[in-house]
Amino acid sequence: MDTDVLIVGAGPTGMTLANELLTAGVSTVLVDKLSRRSDLSKAGGVQSRTLEALDQRGLLEPLLATGDHPVSAGHFAGIPLPLQSDRHHLPWRSVPQVVIEGFFERHLAAHGLHARRDHELAGLAQDPDGVTTTFANGTALRSRYLVAADGAHSTVRSLLRAGFPGQPGTLTIIAADVRLAGVDPATSHTWGEDGHWAALFPLGTDAQGRQLRRLVLGGPGRSLPRETPVTEDEIRDGLSTVFGTRVHLLELRYARRITNASRQVEEYRHGRVFLAGDAAHVHLPLGAQGMNTGMQDALNLGWKLAAAVHGWAPKDLLDTYHAERHPAGAAVLRNVRAQSLLMDWAGTRDPDVLATREIFTAMAQLPDVQHHLADLMSGMAIRYPMPGTETHRLVGRPVPDVDLGPARVHELLRSGRGILLDPSDTFARIAGPWSDRVDRAGQGADTEPMLIRPDGYVCWAGAADLEPALDRWFGEPR
């Protein structure tokens, strides 16, 4: 074997997975077909659950130190959601994808892992022991496992002939990175009476400290073929149509057309090959969910691949990747389709859509509805199916970041190992045989007993049946 795991695609999903495997001590090769990292902003924000995961690996503070990444309120279908600081202790941050990729590239390089660029995948073949890949530059690699993180037009997915059902794109809108004059900082979504609309999101500042924004434009007549270049005149016309004369374009840095295609791969696992990120699911970029969902795929898969490589994974542990992440991806596609409808994406001004939006906007003023939508958009609503979900409120959910005195729970997870919180110091004998992969902590702390997976999800809580849970998630005792 040349490596334990080959990751195809050095975007946020691939680099998050590479870091997980690096933390777990798994040999990894990361390849990408591009000759250099993209300098386009692409995705614009990091959700609460992803921020928690970065904190659990000690990466959050270094990431936020890279620049001005303001906290911002979210939205659902353009309907503002207030900051839920009392609900999510790490609210949404404006951190563009280009910043995430640059940060991870430097972090991985500092630990000896460099992406191999100019590696365009040409073929793959798997057998019971591993996967053989060939590249257009003539090189070949042999790995125990392969993960496809190579985007919406995934070559791996095509070579696997994996089913990718869903809805094809029926229209396009414009997404651009711009500097503007005359914008009220509180402006987010604005609709005109004729169905034209604009959305604005902060992207931090450029090297000169000037405010950058993501501008999205849509409405009647704006849907052009995806390959049609976006011009400055087109941007100015869109701004004028929605805002009149009060908003002006100062600089167009980058623009593209995006479609409303919505698809999800049928199976996330194909033998020794796994699909993650946009290779597994594509949808409209609403609510900063695409990049975050891909990074969460990687966080779910990473420790499971490491367990398989190190030889202690239960026989069906790798299958839980599909069982847990496919429903999570499907839920994102559903809420994105709902948002597209409520936003009147095509600018139809259909009276039925407008009436529905009016009622939904009123409902979104209710605290319970705001909490539900904030959980849905942030990834905090995810509850993985696992034994114990029917008997304990914490099982299947992200672990609360409890302060244990010497350390927070998130700080304990930086080892990449499982954690058993044992406040009454009663589980030493039971947990001992798993001490090579599960750390016991929290003695004397004011918390419930909990078993936490390396990805930060609670997989057991309470007082009984700990041993079956250890066996279920951490394999046979040594």
Side-chain angles (χ1 to χ4, degrees), residues 50-257:
T50 308
L51 291 169
E52 286 192 352
L54 292 169
D55 188 34
Q56 290 165 5
R57 293 297 183 257
L59 299 177
L60 180 58
E61 288 187 11
L63 172 63
L64 296 182
T66 60
D68 174 25
H69 306 302
V71 172
S72 178
H75 73 91
F76 187 90
I79 301 167
L81 297 176
L83 284 172
Q84 302 286 338
S85 57
D86 59 334
R87 190 170 185 84
H88 303 152
H89 77 285
L90 294 173
W92 187 92
R93 288 272 191 164
S94 176
V95 188
Q97 179 174 331
V98 64
V99 174
I100 294 281
E101 291 184 1
F103 171 78
F104 267 113
E105 184 177 65
R106 293 187 297 272
H107 173 74
L108 294 173
H111 291 81
L113 181 55
H114 300 266
R116 301 184 186 181
R117 298 201 171 270
D118 291 312
H119 275 60
E120 183 175 359
L121 189 67
L124 68 83
Q126 58 176 314
D127 54 57
D129 299 316
V131 184
T132 301
T133 51
T134 55
F135 299 91
N137 61 11
T139 62
L141 284 170
R142 176 86 171 151
S143 59
R144 294 180 65 178
Y145 299 99
L146 182 147
V147 179
D150 53 343
H153 303 287
S154 170
T155 301
V156 175
R157 190 182 64 233
S158 296
L159 291 171
L160 291 172
R161 292 186 171 88
F164 198 41
Q167 299 175 353
T170 58
L171 55 85
T172 64
I173 60 166
I174 296 169
D177 295 355
V178 296
R179 286 197 304 113
L180 300 175
V183 177
D184 182 335
T187 299
S188 58
H189 293 74
T190 305
W191 284 265
E193 290 298 324
D194 57 359
H196 290 277
W197 58 269
L200 287 167
F201 308 99
L203 285 178
T205 57
D206 63 13
Q208 289 74 43
R210 299 173 299 188
Q211 178 68 56
L212 299 174
R213 299 181 189 277
R214 167 65 52 77
L215 168 67
V216 186
L217 291 169
R222 299 238 173 260
S223 181
L224 298 178
R226 191 171 186 178
E227 63 276 8
T228 305
V230 179
T231 66
E232 290 190 5
D233 286 344
E234 190 176 4
I235 297 292
R236 290 192 177 94
D237 178 71
L239 291 171
S240 175
T241 301
V242 177
F243 297 108
T245 59
R246 65 186 175 90
V247 177
H248 302 280
L249 178 67
L250 297 177
E251 180 186 4
L252 174 61
R253 300 172 66 94
Y254 152 68
R256 62 179 174 138
R257 300 184 197 277

